[in-house]
Amino acid sequence: MGKYKLRCLETQEYIPDNYTLKHTDNALLRSEYDSKFVIESGEEGVWKFSNWLSTSQTSSLIAGTRTYKTTELGKKLGLDNLWVAFHGYWPEKGGMCPTGSFKDMEAVPTLQRLKDHDCAGVICASAGNTARAFAHYCALARFPLIVIISEAQSHRVWLREDIDSSIVKLIVIEDGTYQDAKDISKLIAKKLPGWQLEGGAHNVARRDGIGTLILESYNQIGVLPDYYFQGVGGGPGPIGVFEMMERLRDSGDYDGDFTKIFLSQNIEHSPIHKAWQDGRNNLVDADFPKEKKSVYSDYLLNASPSYEIIGGVYDILKGSNGDTFVVTKEEALEAKAIFEQTEGIDIMSPAAVALASIIKAKEENKIKSEDIILLNVSGAGVDRLKNDFKITNLEPWIKTKKENIIQELMDKI
């Protein structure tokens, strides 16, 4: 596409974009733009920042961030400048993520990028939120989608009853895991010419889309916040946020300090936290629990996070002078209750984990009362949405053990 170039962060080569996800195994690609920071008049959500999105044009699909300064929550926590980047369903606040999570902001530009390159369909592995986001927008756009998800998480793939989901094919892995879903998605992609993997952290459109949250917050606050808190599993969210800050600096639109990125995980499964606290730029087997652990937020479980890859989580933590936290289930549940009581909307578990880390950071004097803090409420309003709309769970197209999926797929097609 003419308005941006793709650069490999390892070789520094510029390469053509054919919905390209990788150039070398050890590095991310990054989209680069010559334009200044612009807020597009008349556009909504991520499209307000379309000059820094890796698509040829905008679309009618809308998702985005609502940034606001808290009152009661900030007072409760003793924080004078606590801001919320809200992602979810909340009509009174103008919430712009209709499936309840910030994955909507990744799906919208990714679909346009797929169309830009005449892809036949998209294959998406998910723990729930990404699947629901892509199912929603692919259904609206009538763009073919195959979702692969474990049986334990398949209940999360639901849509409003008034949306025709026939274009979406759901593959459920009996006794499977999120890692199984990612592995199978790669096998399926090899069998379906013209179809593309969604791509996860390797998808520049996904990172650009979610990165607009910091641009919206910069626009609303007037400066970049001092600290940014987010629950993390794989890493495309904070990577996208950091990349947008670099664009602000490189374009000459901002010359101050970067926001410090503070990332949060479950105490029982925290590979990113363990590696970062040990000062390592690589993950080792000991970073992962030896056996399956029960955690508060299984959305944050990831057996292969984008940590050590060039341009990945280690690099953005280092580049932003960031830090990591772990929280217990009890701490997260307390934080969730505080948010819902003060703000009046339900939040999902990753947001509760992030808020619990703000509380911990305040107690440990890592943040001050006067600091500008940005909390990424990465998912919210799901309970409210289910009250306002009739929803329906997608029926599996294929449901079987992982070793049988490819054969059943080929039989189907």
Side-chain angles (χ1 to χ4, degrees):
M1 299 297 111
K3 72 175 184 179
Y4 68 92
K5 296 181 289 187
L6 286 187
R7 178 169 62 90
C8 173
L9 295 182
E10 182 175 35
T11 68
Q12 303 304 317
E13 294 173 84
Y14 288 99
I15 64 170
D17 183 13
N18 297 308
Y19 194 82
T20 310
L21 298 175
K22 287 185 181 182
H23 183 60
T24 60
D25 287 337
N26 190 45
L28 295 176
L29 295 171
R30 183 171 293 179
S31 50
E32 294 189 348
Y33 306 84
D34 292 330
S35 56
K36 304 281 282 182
F37 175 59
V38 174
I39 300 174
E40 299 289 348
S41 176
E43 296 290 353
E44 294 183 85
V46 299
W47 299 124
K48 289 167 64 175
F49 312 103
S50 60
N51 67 317
W52 282 355
L53 294 180
S54 40
T55 64
S56 67
Q57 59 186 3
T58 64
S59 80
S60 61
L61 304 176
I62 302 298
T65 302
R66 287 298 187 200
T67 303
Y68 70 92
K69 187 176 182 180
T70 70
T71 52
E72 294 303 315
L73 179 61
K75 188 184 301 183
K76 176 79 173 176
L77 301 183
L79 296 170
D80 300 330
N81 283 297
L82 178 59
W83 292 73
V84 168
F86 182 85
H87 304 100
Y89 176 76
W90 196 359
E92 294 80 7
K93 278 284 190 191
M96 301 179 70
C97 290
T99 78
S101 88
F102 70 167
K103 302 299 183 182
D104 293 352
M105 296 164 60
E106 301 173 352
V108 165
T110 295
L111 273 177
Q112 185 56 51
R113 187 181 180 216
L114 287 158
K115 290 180 178 181
D116 288 345
H117 297 287
D118 298 318
C119 300
V122 60
I123 303 161
C124 174
S126 176
N129 288 341
T130 302
R132 194 165 63 250
F134 273 84
H136 176 88
Y137 288 103
C138 284
L140 293 180
R142 308 311 299 161
F143 191 87
L145 167 68
I146 294 175
V147 170
I148 306 97
I149 194 166
S150 72
E151 184 175 13
Q153 297 166 328
S154 60
H155 65 281
R156 294 171 175 163
V157 190
W158 47 261
L159 291 179
R160 285 174 13 203
E161 201 173 60
D162 59 326
I163 295 176
D164 177 5
S165 61
S166 58
I167 200 77
V168 179
K169 304 302 182 186
L170 179 65
I171 296 178
V172 176
I173 312 168
E174 294 178 347
D175 302 320
T177 66
Y178 176 43
Q179 187 62 45
D180 290 333
K182 292 200 291 184
D183 294 341
I184 290 169
S185 70
K186 294 174 184 177
L187 296 176
I188 291 174
K190 294 177 181 179
K191 299 289 185 179
L192 298 179
W195 286 64
Q196 291 285 354
L197 291 168
E198 173 273 314
H202 288 274
N203 177 1
V204 291
R206 179 173 181 172
R207 302 199 318 265
D208 289 353
I210 200 62
T212 64
L213 77 86
I214 200 69
L215 299 180
E216 178 63 22
S217 298
Y218 176 64
N219 180 43
Q220 294 297 323
I221 301 170
V223 295
L224 285 177
D226 297 309
Y227 298 92
Y228 166 78
F229 283 80
Q230 185 197 314
V232 66
I239 297 170
V241 165
F242 183 80
E243 289 175 335
M244 281 301 184
M245 291 195 294
E246 287 203 313
R247 290 186 187 110
L248 279 172
R249 180 198 62 193
D250 294 345
S251 68
D253 291 285
Y254 181 79
D255 61 2
D257 293 333
F258 278 2
T259 300
K260 295 177 176 64
I261 295 175
F262 279 15
L263 302 179
S264 315
Q265 296 197 293
N266 301 289
I267 194 167
E268 302 87 354
H269 187 283
S270 51
I272 288 173
H273 173 75
K274 288 181 178 179
W276 178 253
Q277 294 301 320
D278 282 352
R280 286 184 280 107
N281 65 354
N282 66 300
L283 297 171
V284 296
D285 289 344
D287 293 329
F288 299 88
K290 292 181 179 179
E291 54 192 33
K292 188 176 180 181
K293 295 280 188 178
S294 175
V295 299
Y296 169 65
S297 181
D298 66 346
Y299 293 103
L300 304 182
L301 294 181
N302 196 305
S304 53
S306 299
Y307 180 78
E308 55 198 62
I309 193 168
I310 297 171
V313 173
Y314 174 81
D315 287 343
I316 64 102
L317 283 170
K318 185 177 180 181
S320 70
N321 195 25
D323 205 352
T324 61
F325 294 81
V326 289
V327 301
T328 66
K329 178 180 180 179
E330 292 73 24
E331 289 168 334
L333 285 172
E334 181 182 359
K336 177 179 168 68
I338 291 171
F339 188 97
E340 294 178 355
Q341 289 163 9
T342 57
E343 299 301 293
I345 192 72
D346 59 282
I347 61 173
M348 296 179 67
S349 59
V353 169
L355 180 56
S357 293
I358 289 181
I359 296 170
K360 184 170 286 190
K362 178 70 162 48
E363 292 171 347
E364 295 174 356
N365 295 315
K366 292 186 175 181
I367 57 175
K368 301 173 185 174
S369 298
E370 63 272 21
D371 289 334
I372 301 173
I373 312 296
L374 181 64
L375 166 65
N376 183 357
V377 174
S378 53
V382 171
D383 292 345
R384 172 69 185 278
L385 188 151
K386 290 181 177 180
N387 283 329
D388 287 0
F389 294 95
K390 289 184 178 180
I391 66 164
T392 183
N393 284 75
L394 268 63
E395 290 296 322
W397 184 51
I398 294 173
K399 182 180 179 182
T400 188
K401 294 187 180 299
K402 60 183 180 181
E403 58 267 23
N404 301 328
I405 283 175
I406 297 301
Q407 186 58 55
E408 289 204 25
L409 173 70
M410 299 314 294
D411 291 342
K412 285 272 190 183
I413 62 175

